[in-house]
Every structure is written in structure tokens, then in C-alpha cells.
Amino acid sequence: MGRTAAPVPPLSLEDGVRAPEWDEGLECWVVADPRLARQVLNHPGFASGTFERSFQLYMADATRTEYRELTEFLRLWFVQADAPEHTALRRPVQRTLSASYVRSLTARIEEITDECLAELAGTRPHDVMPAVAEGISGKVMAHVVGVDVPPPVLHEWSRTLSLFIGAMYRRDHARAAHRAMVEMTGALAGARALEGFPTDTPEDRARTNATWAMCLFGGLETTASLLGSTVLTALGDQELWAAVRADRTGVVEDLVESVLVSRPPLRHLGRVVAHDQEIAGARLRAGDLVLVSLTGQGPLDEATPAVVCPVTGASAPEPAAAGAADHNLVFGYGPHYCVGAPLARLEAAILLRRLARRFPHARLSDQAAVWGPNLSYVGLDHLYVDLGGEA
């Protein structure tokens, strides 16, 4: 006789928790209350396989058939799996990106940052996003994974995959994403990071390639967004910039945390309702998609800005209090907490310190920030600065 599956325990709700809300336009549930979000992100009643469900809902049968290789590639990303499969697939990547390994990258990231700042100085106008934010995130991930691919190509692959993930119903996005997948997996052949990962069978190779393609993808756009927003915040406040230049204890790290909280690069994570259930009066059905807010806001709410956002006109937040990193959801929560979080924080802190050392008189140009509109990703397309001469 087969085993009977263990019953899934219900969510344990605190008093006053805001119920999930159905969004007619997005055709999904939205969980905005941080207390409920933590539970949903760490509860077996909500599955991680949003790609699979989205393929079913948004891709035509003919497109799914034509681009089966692409959908299989995305399905193999371990962020789409749940325990115990997710735990087993994540563990070797987590060991690879250990805290000691990330710390060992400090000198190399400083070199990369200096290279990108030199490129920024040599371009007109001085745009932080392509030269520095995308340059650093691209070069660091190329070094970590062990591929010889320039940052513009890496970011083009990442943006192309993002467009498809956000609009799977578009055949042109599927076509472009398939091309990006082929190029990305080709570049991964022989990559250093793949050493020690299974490659004996076609299934092993597919899984390993998908894993490291996912790591490349995850370390590019969101990290570039964090780097750009961090520079914008620092240069937008003269007293804060003076504190960064003086490298007062804790200022740089607290600034990075304040940006993560006020303008997180990723605003939402997706989940799929695993079984019919009722939460605070809301009736969720198996297969429903759920957007879990990492910010406490809905998908169409305006993001709390860093400095003055030209989209909302609102002003800067205060730097995060000590220990804030322990309470926010910007890198997820529970088993799916982002394995690259320490690396992203390190890149942002190094950038602030190297920028302040080389260009202590840097300031924002007029109409410096050009924001890229996106429901899930929050970041700058351009950030123009006046470098004010080198130190």
C-alpha cells in the first residue's frame, strides 16, 4: 500500500493580518502583508513552480511545443522546486557561494570596480548604469561562474529572459529567450563553476547548465539595480555622501541596507496555491497564482523611493536602523532565501567606498535618474553624474 501524504498544517495567522486580495487585471492573488508573506514563502501550501503554471496559463499549445527546450530549461531552475528537491539542488550552490568564498572575492571585486570607474570617467555623459552598475555585476558574475563573456552580452541575455518570464504569451519573447538560452548554455560549456557538478548524462548536464544559468541570471539585473540605487541615494544627500567619504563605521553597510528596504531590486516573488484553502476569509483555489510582496505593497503601488524618485516625486528615506537586514524580505525568506545576498551586499559596499575614494566631489547631474518601469523589478535605466574631478 502507498503512503498517505501527511496533512499540510494550516497557516498560523496573527490578529489583524491583511487577507490576500484578488487582482482582476493580473489574474492572481496578491499577498502584501509582511506577516502573511513570511508564512506563504515558507509553507507547503504554496508551491514554487510558477513557471510551469504560467506555461499552462499564458503560452499557446503550439508555442509550448515549438519552444519546449526553453520551457524545460526554465523548469530546471532550482528556485522552481520545493523540498526535498530544492534543498538537495541548492546545497552545492550554497557551498560554492559560501561566506568565506564571497569574502575571498573582495580584492577581485575592488579591481573590477576600479576598472568600471575608469570606464565611467572616459565616457560622456557619465552614466553609472552601463559603465558601473552593469559592468561590475557582469564582470563579477563572469568571474564567479568562470565564463569569458562581456557584461553587455550577459545583461542582454538576462533582460531577454526577463521579458519572456514577464510576458510568456508573446511568441517573439519566446523566440528571443530561446536564442538567449542557447547562447548562455553554450558559454557555460567548460565554465569553472560547473566543475564538481554532475555532467555524466544529458539529464545531468541539462540540470547543471540550468542551475548556473539561473545563478548568472540572478546576479545580473537585480544586483545592477541595487548598485545604481545605492549610488543615487549616496550622491543625493550631501551629508550622507560626506559620511561615506569619511567611511564612518557602519555608514556604508547601513546605507546599502536602507536602499534594499526602500527600493528593493525585486518587489515580488511568485507562488502557486497547492490546494484549496481559505486565508482570512479569502478562498484560494489549487493552481491560482500568488504574488508575494517583498515590500509590503501591492504590485501597482508606487515603490517607496530612494532619494527623490522622478516617478513619484517623494523624498528619501532615512538610513536603515542597525539590524534591519534581519527583518526585511528583500532577499526572500525561508528555504528560498537568496544564495547571492552576501555577494550583492559586498559589491554595493565596495562600489560606494571606491567611488568616494576616486571621485570624492561627485554629484548627481540635472535630471540624473531615468527609471525603468516594471511591475516586479525596480531599477534605473540611466544615472547621470558629474564626477567633479579625481582625488
Side-chain angles (χ1 to χ4, degrees), residues 264-389:
L266 186 64
R267 296 184 68 190
H268 305 93
L269 290 174
R271 289 293 184 268
V272 180
V273 179
H275 59 84
D276 292 355
Q277 53 190 295
E278 182 174 328
I279 302 176
R283 295 181 179 275
L284 285 64
R285 302 299 182 192
D288 287 349
L289 291 176
V290 181
L291 275 184
V292 183
S293 174
L294 304 181
T295 65
Q297 299 169 309
L300 298 179
D301 294 338
E302 293 174 332
T304 304
V307 188
V308 176
C309 175
V311 176
T312 67
S315 58
E318 293 297 319
D326 298 330
H327 304 292
N328 65 61
L329 295 173
V330 295
F331 288 113
Y333 184 74
H336 284 266
Y337 187 84
C338 177
V339 295
L343 181 58
R345 286 185 166 112
L346 179 62
E347 290 177 54
I350 287 174
L351 171 57
L352 282 177
R353 291 191 168 99
R354 306 304 278 195
L355 177 66
R357 179 179 301 180
R358 182 161 184 169
F359 301 110
H361 305 297
R363 60 183 178 84
L364 298 176
S365 300
D366 294 336
Q367 299 180 329
V370 179
W371 297 96
N374 191 299
L375 285 181
S376 293
Y377 293 98
V378 177
L380 294 150
D381 283 345
H382 302 282
L383 178 60
Y384 299 109
V385 297
D386 179 347
L387 295 177

Side-chain angles (χ1 to χ4, degrees), residues 1-349:
M1 293 178 62
R3 280 184 162 183
T4 302
V8 176
L11 293 173
S12 176
L13 301 180
E14 300 177 30
D15 291 340
V17 165
R18 181 180 172 187
E21 297 179 2
W22 179 259
D23 188 294
E24 290 289 351
L26 298 174
E27 297 184 343
C28 69
W29 292 98
V30 175
V31 172
D33 191 309
R35 294 168 296 176
L36 181 56
R38 282 184 175 83
Q39 292 221 41
V40 169
L41 292 174
N42 195 26
H43 192 273
F46 298 86
S48 301
T50 54
F51 288 170
E52 175 65 33
R53 185 62 177 140
S54 296
F55 299 152
Q56 297 168 357
L57 291 174
Y58 304 125
M59 291 183 74
D61 291 345
T63 306
R64 281 206 310 275
T65 299
E66 182 176 359
Y67 294 105
R68 178 179 173 80
E69 186 181 8
L70 172 64
T71 59
E72 288 298 320
F73 167 75
L74 293 173
R75 207 179 268 120
L76 289 174
W77 288 14
F78 69 71
V79 293
Q80 294 293 301
D82 292 304
E85 181 185 12
H86 171 265
T87 306
L89 294 171
R90 174 190 170 99
R91 188 176 294 117
V93 176
Q94 195 160 354
R95 283 198 298 265
T96 301
L97 296 176
S98 66
S100 60
Y101 172 71
V102 170
R103 287 194 299 270
S104 77
L105 294 174
T106 298
R108 179 61 187 132
I109 296 174
E110 288 175 342
E111 293 173 359
I112 287 171
T113 301
D114 289 343
E115 292 169 5
C116 293
L117 290 174
E119 182 178 343
L120 177 68
T123 60
R124 297 292 188 281
H126 303 306
D127 186 352
V128 168
M129 294 312 296
V132 175
E134 294 179 8
I136 292 172
S137 56
K139 289 184 177 184
V140 169
M141 287 311 300
H143 175 79
V144 168
V145 178
V147 294
D148 185 17
V149 181
V153 175
L154 291 173
H155 279 277
E156 180 60 28
W157 289 342
S158 179
R159 281 189 286 265
T160 300
L161 289 172
S162 295
L163 285 172
F164 170 69
I165 291 168
M168 292 181 178
Y169 57 87
R170 290 186 50 167
R171 194 182 188 89
D172 58 335
H173 285 351
R175 185 184 309 113
H178 183 270
R179 183 175 62 251
M181 176 207 69
V182 171
E183 294 174 358
M184 185 180 285
T185 53
L188 284 168
R192 182 177 59 254
L194 276 62
E195 296 174 4
F197 283 73
T199 56
D200 293 337
T201 68
E203 293 77 14
D204 287 340
R205 290 191 290 275
R207 172 69 77 179
T208 295
N209 276 329
T211 293
W212 283 105
M214 182 201 72
C215 292
L216 267 180
F217 175 85
L220 293 168
E221 297 310 302
T222 52
T223 302
S225 295
L226 171 61
L227 298 180
S229 291
T230 302
V231 172
L232 174 63
T233 305
L235 296 185
D237 183 316
Q238 291 185 354
E239 291 185 9
L240 184 56
W241 183 232
V244 171
R245 291 200 306 268
D247 202 6
R248 297 174 190 162
T249 303
V251 166
V252 167
E253 283 72 22
D254 284 350
L255 173 54
V256 172
E257 291 307 315
S258 76
V259 173
L260 283 167
V261 172
S262 63
R263 186 167 289 282
L266 186 64
R267 296 184 68 190
H268 305 93
L269 290 174
R271 289 293 184 268
V272 180
V273 179
H275 59 84
D276 292 355
Q277 53 190 295
E278 182 174 328
I279 302 176
R283 295 181 179 275
L284 285 64
R285 302 299 182 192
D288 287 349
L289 291 176
V290 181
L291 275 184
V292 183
S293 174
L294 304 181
T295 65
Q297 299 169 309
L300 298 179
D301 294 338
E302 293 174 332
T304 304
V307 188
V308 176
C309 175
V311 176
T312 67
S315 58
E318 293 297 319
D326 298 330
H327 304 292
N328 65 61
L329 295 173
V330 295
F331 288 113
Y333 184 74
H336 284 266
Y337 187 84
C338 177
V339 295
L343 181 58
R345 286 185 166 112
L346 179 62
E347 290 177 54

